C-alpha cells in the first residue's frame, strides 16, 4: 500500500528539528532509518501528517568510548556497531546482537536510536540495553535529560520519551573487570525477528556470579528483564544446575503469545534453553575462556 499524504521536513540542526517537533506536535513523526516507520505508514498503521527526517543530523552519528563507557549517537546505523573495534572487543553482548539484527540492508539504514524509540518488544536492542543497564539521553524544549533504561519501555510501542523530545544518545556503562556478556537469538530464518532471544551481562567474583542482568526479546508485550533469572544467578556458583534454574525462571516469568513463530509453550521452553546458552557464554567470556 501507499502511505497517506504527509508534509516532509529535513532539518539540518537539532534545534531546527526540535522547533519543528514543537510546532507540529502530535501530527508529526520523526524519521530515522525508516525501517519500522515506513512499513507502518504503508500499512496505514501510522498516518503522520508531517515527517521530520533526522538524516541530515550527522552530529547524532557516532560510536566512541568515554571513560570506559560506550556512547552511541541516536542516529548511528546498526552497521557502525559491527565495524566498531570498541564494540567488538569490549561489548561482546552488543557485538553478538548487532550481527543478528535483520540483515545488512536493514542494518545499514536502521539506527540504534530508532530501534529503541520504537519500543517494539520484537526488536533486539531493547533487551541488549536492558541487560547492559544503559541510559537514554533525550533532548526537548527544556534541554537534555537522562532516562534509565529500566524506566524507558512503558508499554507496547510506547517509550518514556515525552512529546517534543528527541533521543540523542545512548550511554552503555563500562563493564567491570571479570565481566562477560552474550546475546543468543533463535530466528525462523536469517534476517527475521526473534522467536525468542536472551541478553545476559554478568560479573564474576572467582567462581561465583557476583551480579547479573538478564533481558528477553519478543516473549513479552514489553521488553523485559527477568528478575527471577537474575535472582537465580547472583551469589551462586557458575554451574549447569544454576544456569538451568535461571533458564526455568526466565521461562516462567515471560509472557509470549502464540503466533506464526510458534506456540506460547514452545517459546517459553526455547527461552529456557537460550537463557542457559547465553549465561554459559557470558560466564566463559567473563573468565576469559571465549
Ligand atoms: P524508524 O523506522 O525511522 O523509526 C521508528 C520509530 O522510532 C518511529 O516512531 C520514529 O518516530 C521513532 N524514532 C526514531 N528515531 C528517533 C529518535 N532519535 N528520537 C525519538 N524517536 C525516534 N529489528 C531488530 O531489532 N531485529 C530484527 O531482527 C529486525 N528485523 C527486521 C527485518 C526487516 C525486514 C525490517 C524492515 C526491519 C527489521 N527490524 C529488526 C527493525 C529495524 O531494526 C528498524 O530499523 C528499527 O526497528 C527502527 O529503527 P529506524 O532507524 O529504522 O527507525
Amino acid at each position: 500500500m501507499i502511505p497517506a499524504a504527509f508534509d516532509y521536513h529535513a532539518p539540518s540542526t537539532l534545534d531546527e528539528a526540535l522547533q519543528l517537533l514543537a510546532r507540529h506536535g502530535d501530527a508529526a513523526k520523526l524519521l530515522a532509518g525508516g525501517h519500522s516507520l515506513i512499513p507502518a505508514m504503508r500499512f496505514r498503521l501510522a498516518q503522520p501528517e508531517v515527517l521530520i527526517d533526522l538524516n541530515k543530523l550527522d552530529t547524532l552519528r557516532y560510536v566512541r568510548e568515554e571513560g570506559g563507557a560506550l556512547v552511541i549517537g541516536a542516529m548511528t546505523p546498526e552497521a557502525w556497531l559491527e565495524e566498531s573495534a570498541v564494540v567488538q572487543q569490549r561489548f561482546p553482548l552488543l557485538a553478538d546482537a548487532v550481527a543478528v539484527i535483520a540483515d545488512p540492508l536493514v542494518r545499514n539504514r536502521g539506527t540504534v536510536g530508532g530501534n529503541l524509540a520504537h519500543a517494539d518488544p520484537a526488536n533486539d536492542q531493547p533487551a541488549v540495553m536492558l541487560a547492559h543497564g544503559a541510559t537514554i539521553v533525550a533532548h526537548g524544549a527544556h534541554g537534555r535529560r537522562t532516562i534509565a533504561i529500566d524506566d524507558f519501555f512503558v508499554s507496547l510501542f510506547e517509550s518514556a520519551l515525552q512529546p517534543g523530545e528527541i533521543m540523542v544518545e545512548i550511554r552503555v556503562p563500562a563493564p567491570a573487570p571479570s565481566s562477560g556478556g552474550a546475546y543468543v537469538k533463535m530466528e525462523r530464518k536469517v534476517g527475521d525477528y526473534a522467536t525468542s532471544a536472551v541478553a545476559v551481562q554478568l560479573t564474576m567474583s572467582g567462581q561465583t556470579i557476583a551480579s547479573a542482568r538478564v533481558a528477553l526479546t519478543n516473549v513479552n508485550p514489553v521488553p523485559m528483564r527477568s528478575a527471577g533469572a537474575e535472582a537465580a544467578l547472583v551469589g551462586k556458583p557458575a554451574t549447569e544446575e544454576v544456569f538451568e534454574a535461571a533458564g526455568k525462571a526466565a521461562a516462567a516469568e515471560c509472557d509470549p503469545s502464540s503466533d506464526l513463530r510458534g506456540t506460547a509453550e514452545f517459546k517459553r521452553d526455547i527461552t529456557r534453553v537460550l537463557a542457559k546458552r547465553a549465561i554459559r557464554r557470558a560466564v566463559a567470556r567473563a573468565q576469559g575462556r571465549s
Side-chain angles (χ1 to χ4, degrees), residues 29-39 54 74-75 78 100-103 106 109-111 113-115 117-118 122-125 161 165-167 185 191-194:
K29 272 273 184 199
L30 299 169
L31 176 70
H35 274 300
S36 291
L37 182 56
I38 300 293
L54 301 179
M75 284 297 290
E78 304 281 2
V100 293
I101 291 177
D103 52 47
V106 174
R109 271 206 86 77
T111 65
N115 196 303
H118 196 47
N123 278 1
D124 295 291
Q125 287 290 6
L161 288 171
E165 283 187 326
I166 297 177
M167 187 196 301
K185 172 175 176 176
D192 194 18
Y193 290 93

Side-chain angles (χ1 to χ4, degrees), residues 7 55 166 173 180 237 272 274:
D7 286 338
N55 279 280
I166 297 177
R272 176 186 63 81
L274 298 179

